[in-house]
Structures are given as structure tokens and as C-alpha cells.
Amino acid sequence: MKTTTGPRNPALPLSSRQELCWEWERCHGKPYPAVVSIDCSTALRLLGPLDAGALREAFAEVTLHHDALRLRLDEPPEQVADVIRPHQTLRATPLPLEEAVLPARPYALLVDLSTRPFDVTEALGRAHLLRAAPDHHVLLISFHHLVFDAASHRLFLSDLAHAYNRRVATGVPLRPAYSYLDLIRAESTGPALDDRAARLAARAALLRAYGAGDLLPGRTAGPTALRHRYDEEPLDFSTGQTRQLLHAARTARVSLYSLLTAAFASALGRHFGRERMILSTPSHGRLRPEHRTAVGDFANMVQIPVDMSQDRGHGLLRQTHEAVREASATVDLPFGLLAETVLGRSGDAGFFRYALGHAALRLHGVTGWALDRQRDDAIPMHAMRTDVMPVSQDSSRLTYATRQASDTAAATITISLTMTQDARLSGALRHERAYHGPATARSILHHLHEHLGALSGSAGT
């Protein structure tokens, strides 16, 4: 049963960024445990004398400070899956911090707690303080991606440590934070909606011209299975090769991301016999300085159309760089509305996050699309040593709700690269095992290395 405390706030629509998560949530056909709920979890190990009361107060302060953390959806749980775009309201009270005992082998418990479904009419976040010993605790926070993105982890933990330290030692009040509700309200004005509608129509026309929704062919005969299995082919560059790629990008006056995008699109085009490709990528979406003070979901998926028909050399780099720049300006276009305009919608089924692209490229650890968390995971909390414990979800249980979502997910080829601490690019090409076999993956990587080698001398060898 839904509980209500305090005066009711007026209902708000989803933000332009939250739409992506709402579509992604509805791509999957079965409730937990068949589907892992979309959430962003962080487990913080606390070693030393902890004042649990001060931590509880600090947690309440931070969840009141960042209004996105108190949002909840209006519809009752049994109706959520039947609503395309729900509304949301603000909780009047902060989120509670529940306490429990941490077992000797904690990982299974952390995974279980972090993947439990949310009652979205109550809250889109939860937290547990798990006690192993008087001087050993783990703080597990889990927020639905509707209100939390990758950049929010560090912001939340930093504010939590600040608020805790002020209670047990000394400190100043939390710095002012940008209101996520202000983002939603600004997007909901008449002029903003009119401007967005015009830009959305123009973007949809461009993506249709580049073949959005025209899936890359695979080797599967008949319908794609609703549950997928993935393989990865490693993609690693030495420090010297990485330096050559960076030099080639600087020489052409483009970003490293633009160079990799052009090379990946060319490799795909050569293998599949296409002159036009669309690459999707997640953009952190925090385009204004004040956005970087707010916990909330600012990320969105943007699409980069690449035309290889005229030039596959350095001219392609400039063209791709301009396409990347133009894509960054579309981060405020609601993904669901854009996909619906381009592809049409079958009933209330959700769209896969890469539905508008043929492939995906993710780059971490360098200036680009991902607003990366700092590599130093220590959170300065008074008289304690802290470290962030990795918590991974089991994505093997994901089952897609519709053939459209399943086919799009299976056809999407993804490259993820990270700039390591020793200054080299390392990652992998990921593909669905039944749809794209290892021969396809190796062929694409061969063409990718060839193109990168042509651009930078020997970086692809």
C-alpha cells in the first residue's frame, strides 16, 4: 500500500533523460528475479570507529539535499508496465537507512540487496548499513537509474562524507546543489516543448535517411531468442600505439573519440557493405557547470551518423567530428519520443537503448562522452579507512519482452574501451553469440586495425 506523508507535490513528467531508462526498463518481459532491475549500486567498506547515528543523519541530509533521490512514480506497481510515460512526485521525507548483519561471505547478500525490485510508488532508492564487527561496516546504496547516473556515485558519496564529518568532527554545510526538478520544469515550458518538437522531427528525418532501424544482418535463421548470450573479442593497444592514435587525432584536429568512431564505422561498413552507419553512445549529459553539482539522471543515448561514401580518409575524420559535435546537442531529446518517431511503436513495448544505431562505441577514462568517476575510490570519512567494493549484477537473466527489442539488442555490436592507468587503450568488441559469430567479430576488428593503421602510421598493427 502506498504511504503518504506531508503535503502532496504536483506531479511532474519524466525528464528528457529519464525516458531512456523508462524505455529500457520496459524492454524486458518478466519481473524480478527473471529480470535484474535497472539500478546503480555502490558498496562502501568502512573500517574504523563508526558513529552509526551520525551516518544515519548524514544520509537523511543528503537525500533531502538532492531532490532527485526522493522522486517516486505515481502509478501503482501493477499498472506501471502498461503506461508509456508515467508521472512522478517528490517524497516529503528522506530515505531510511536500514541496518542488518554482514555475513562472513558478503558478496551474495550485496548482489541480492542491490538487485531487489523497487516499489517505484514508494521510492527509487534504498540503503543498508551492514555490520560485520564494531569497526567493520559496509554501506550499500542502490538507486534506480531513473534518478541516478554514473557521475552521481562520486557526488553522493562525497556529500555523504562531508555531512558525516561535520557531525563527528568539523566542517561546513553542504554546497548548494542544482535542483533536478528545475531541469524537468524548464523542459516542460511551452517554448521549450515547441523547440524540442522541431529539433526532434529534424533529427528523426536524418536518422531515417541513415538507415536507423535497418538492423545489421546476422547468421541466425528465424526469430531471435528473447534471452541472449554474448562473447567478447579483446581489443588492446600498447602505450605506443595509443600515443600514435592521440597524435593522429591532434594532427587532424579531432577528438580521439571522433577518430575511433570514424574507424569503427568504416570497419563495419566494409564488412557489411554499407556506406552509411549510425553509432550510438551514452552521453553524460551534464552540459552546464551547475549540472555537475546535482545527483540525478542526466545521461542519455545519442546517435552519430557517419557517411563513408565520399571519403574514408582524413576527410572522414572532419565529417565525423562534426557529426559527433551535432550529436552532443541532441542529448536533451527524449529517447523514447525519438525512437517512436523514427521506428513507430508497437503497443506499449519499450525500445532497446541502441534501437536507433547499428553499433555502439563507449570510451572511458579520457575526455569524451563518459563523465568518469575518479580512479581514487577512497572517500575521506573521519577516523575511518574507506574503499568502494565492486558489485556486479547478473545480466544473464535478462529476457526481452518483444522481438523488436531482442532483434535490435542481438544485432548491435559494441566496442568498449578504457584508458588505463599506464596510458593505453584496452577493451573488447562484444557481440551476441548466436547472431554475430566470432568470424564476424574478427573481420570487423581486422578492418578496424587496418583503418587505424592508415590514419596513424602503425597504431593498428
Side-chain angles (χ1 to χ4, degrees):
M1 179 180 296
K2 184 186 291 188
T3 59
T4 56
T5 55
R8 182 174 176 80
N9 292 283
L12 295 165
L14 295 180
S15 76
S16 58
R17 325 305 169 83
Q18 289 176 305
E19 266 226 359
L20 172 65
C21 297
W22 182 243
E23 294 291 339
W24 173 235
E25 184 73 74
R26 295 184 307 107
C27 272
H28 305 112
K30 297 180 181 179
Y32 180 91
V35 171
V36 178
S37 182
I38 303 175
D39 69 275
C40 303
S41 296
T42 299
L44 183 67
R45 193 196 319 269
L46 306 168
L47 300 175
L50 172 69
D51 186 330
L55 182 64
R56 193 178 300 106
E57 291 177 3
F59 181 81
E61 180 184 356
V62 175
T63 58
L64 286 172
H65 189 64
H66 295 285
D67 48 27
L69 302 183
R70 290 181 290 120
L71 285 170
R72 59 185 176 188
L73 302 188
D74 274 354
E75 287 75 17
E78 63 271 14
Q79 294 182 12
V80 166
D82 299 325
V83 179
I84 291 179
R85 295 180 182 92
H87 281 73
Q88 55 191 341
T89 53
L90 201 65
R91 286 172 53 101
T93 57
L95 295 177
L97 178 59
E98 301 180 24
E99 297 190 37
V101 174
L102 187 70
R105 296 183 176 179
Y107 189 73
L109 175 62
L110 296 178
V111 171
D112 176 63
L113 291 176
S114 65
T115 55
R116 288 180 182 177
F118 293 100
D119 180 350
V120 295
T121 65
E122 285 294 316
L124 292 167
R126 57 175 170 258
H128 295 85
L129 180 62
L130 307 171
R131 181 179 182 273
D135 59 351
H136 181 189
H137 296 78
V138 170
L139 174 66
L140 176 66
I141 60 168
S142 298
F143 291 99
H144 198 288
H145 205 344
L146 281 163
V147 295
F148 212 80
D149 59 15
S152 295
H153 289 271
R154 173 63 54 170
L155 285 166
F156 180 90
L157 292 178
S158 177
D159 279 356
L160 182 68
H162 196 82
Y164 175 81
N165 292 340
R166 193 176 71 250
R167 284 168 170 79
V168 299
T170 59
V172 298
L174 296 178
R175 62 178 180 172
Y178 177 78
S179 170
Y180 196 74
L181 270 61
D182 285 347
L183 173 71
I184 298 174
R185 294 182 182 118
E187 292 181 337
S188 303
T189 63
L193 291 174
D194 291 342
D195 174 71
R196 189 177 75 184
R199 292 168 51 234
L200 188 144
R203 193 67 179 175
L206 177 65
L207 294 179
R208 280 195 297 267
Y210 275 73
D214 179 12
L215 303 181
L216 296 179
R219 62 180 186 174
T220 300
T224 306
L226 295 180
R227 182 173 294 188
H228 297 166
R229 300 174 69 188
Y230 289 88
D231 284 332
E232 291 186 347
E233 293 286 337
L235 179 57
D236 295 297
F237 299 88
S238 69
T239 301
Q241 290 169 340
T242 301
R243 190 180 299 115
Q244 288 176 331
L245 291 176
L246 289 167
H247 176 73
R250 286 194 297 269
T251 300
R253 296 186 178 181
V254 301
S255 66
L256 176 61
Y257 185 85
S258 295
L259 184 144
L260 293 170
T261 298
F264 187 25
S266 293
L268 291 165
R270 184 165 298 178
H271 177 84
F272 290 105
R274 297 178 61 102
E275 292 186 334
R276 287 185 164 187
M277 301 294 306
I278 301 174
L279 267 60
S280 293
T281 193
S283 171
H284 61 72
R286 295 172 182 258
L287 303 182
R288 291 163 50 184
E290 58 267 33
H291 291 170
R292 302 194 179 211
T293 67
V295 171
D297 181 21
F298 289 83
N300 203 355
M301 200 65 63
V302 299
Q303 299 77 37
I304 304 167
V306 182
D307 185 351
M308 288 94 54
S309 62
Q310 301 300 318
D311 188 346
R312 291 180 182 267
H314 283 78
L316 178 62
L317 291 183
R318 296 304 308 169
Q319 174 203 319
T320 303
H321 190 67
E322 182 64 20
V324 169
R325 188 192 65 80
E326 292 174 354
S328 68
T330 69
V331 70
D332 63 327
L333 296 181
F335 176 81
L337 280 174
L338 183 59
E340 187 175 296
T341 304
V342 175
L343 305 174
R345 190 186 292 273
S346 176
D348 288 341
F351 291 105
F352 179 64
R353 62 189 174 196
Y354 298 137
L356 295 173
H358 302 109
L361 175 62
R362 306 176 69 120
L363 180 61
H364 304 274
V366 295
T367 301
W369 294 98
L371 191 64
D372 298 293
R373 281 179 275 175
Q374 299 176 21
R375 295 187 184 278
D376 180 10
D377 286 331
I379 305 296
M381 298 184 72
H382 181 73
M384 287 188 293
R385 183 169 66 85
T386 68
D387 64 272
V388 176
M389 304 168 58
V391 180
S392 301
Q393 294 185 346
D394 181 8
S395 59
S396 66
R397 295 180 293 177
L398 294 177
T399 303
Y400 290 95
T402 66
R403 292 294 177 197
Q404 183 186 53
S406 178
D407 289 347
T408 306
T412 302
I413 296 172
T414 302
I415 285 181
S416 294
L417 288 169
T418 299
M419 185 71 77
T420 64
Q421 290 183 324
D422 56 347
R424 61 184 181 85
L425 287 172
S426 178
L429 181 149
R430 187 171 186 259
H431 62 93
E432 208 282 324
R433 185 179 301 176
Y435 194 93
H436 292 299
T440 294
R442 288 194 290 267
S443 172
I444 292 169
L445 288 179
H446 172 73
H447 293 314
L448 176 68
H449 286 306
E450 274 192 341
H451 196 79
L452 289 174
L455 290 173
S456 59
S458 59
T461 60

